[in-house]
Amino acid sequence: MLTKTAAKQKLREILRNHEDGITSRAPRYTVEEAVTYWLDYGLSGRSPDTISNYRTIANHHIVSALGRRRLADLSAEDVDRWLRAESSLVSTRTLRLMHSILNRAVTYAMARDKVRRNVVGLCEIPAGKSGRPSKSLT
């Protein structure tokens, strides 16, 4: 049962979203939908190999971990926890790419009035798993 205070708060949120131009569909817009939309429409001019690489990383790391979460509910803490968990599995370069893909997808969604702000840009990227030693100049 909804209390009077909760109902007023919900009404304020709906009115604020309406004033900001955010559609009624936007609160149910998920991270997976945002990433998929960006991969489909936001990569014009990129090579097919780049798109394939981004799609693989997005599906294996972003969508599998955060895909079901509603974009409006995604917090910087969620992203920090996700990056920290992934840091023991992938290299720093891959972590940077994962952060970049998610950040650009959320920015793209923000430009299309699906979310009010991009919390991914506020997150620090931790160091990932170390790679093989360099073979240059040996």
Side-chain angles (χ1 to χ4, degrees):
M1 182 159 177
L2 201 60
T3 65
K4 186 175 180 179
T5 305
K8 284 182 179 180
Q9 184 178 4
K10 183 71 175 168
L11 178 61
R12 266 182 279 184
E13 181 182 332
I14 291 169
L15 290 173
R16 189 175 67 225
N17 286 345
H18 178 70
E19 289 171 5
D20 291 346
I22 297 176
T23 64
S24 63
R25 166 79 178 105
R28 291 185 290 280
Y29 198 68
T30 64
V31 172
E32 179 178 9
E33 289 173 308
V35 170
T36 302
Y37 190 83
W38 178 73
L39 287 169
D40 291 343
Y41 300 103
L43 293 175
S44 60
R46 303 299 194 293
S47 76
D49 290 338
T50 299
I51 294 171
S52 174
N53 184 30
Y54 285 6
R55 195 171 297 279
T56 300
I57 288 174
N59 289 332
H60 285 97
H61 297 284
I62 301 170
V63 172
S64 64
L66 300 172
R68 292 181 182 248
R69 186 172 300 274
R70 292 184 343 188
L71 195 57
D73 294 340
L74 186 69
S75 70
E77 290 150 356
D78 295 332
V79 177
D80 284 335
R81 282 190 209 108
W82 167 69
L83 286 170
R84 179 72 55 205
E86 292 287 331
S87 69
S88 63
L89 304 173
V90 299
S91 68
T92 303
R93 179 185 177 280
T94 304
L95 268 177
R96 289 178 197 268
L97 188 55
M98 290 164 39
H99 179 270
S100 174
I101 290 168
L102 183 59
N103 188 33
R104 290 158 67 188
V106 175
T107 300
Y108 204 73
M110 195 171 75
R112 280 139 188 85
D113 295 326
K114 301 294 184 183
V115 68
R116 185 170 284 111
R117 62 182 242 185
N118 183 357
V119 297
V120 181
L122 305 173
C123 299
E124 296 287 325
I125 304 168
K129 192 167 79 170
S130 60
R132 66 171 177 77
S134 174
K135 293 182 179 180
S136 65
L137 302 174
T138 57

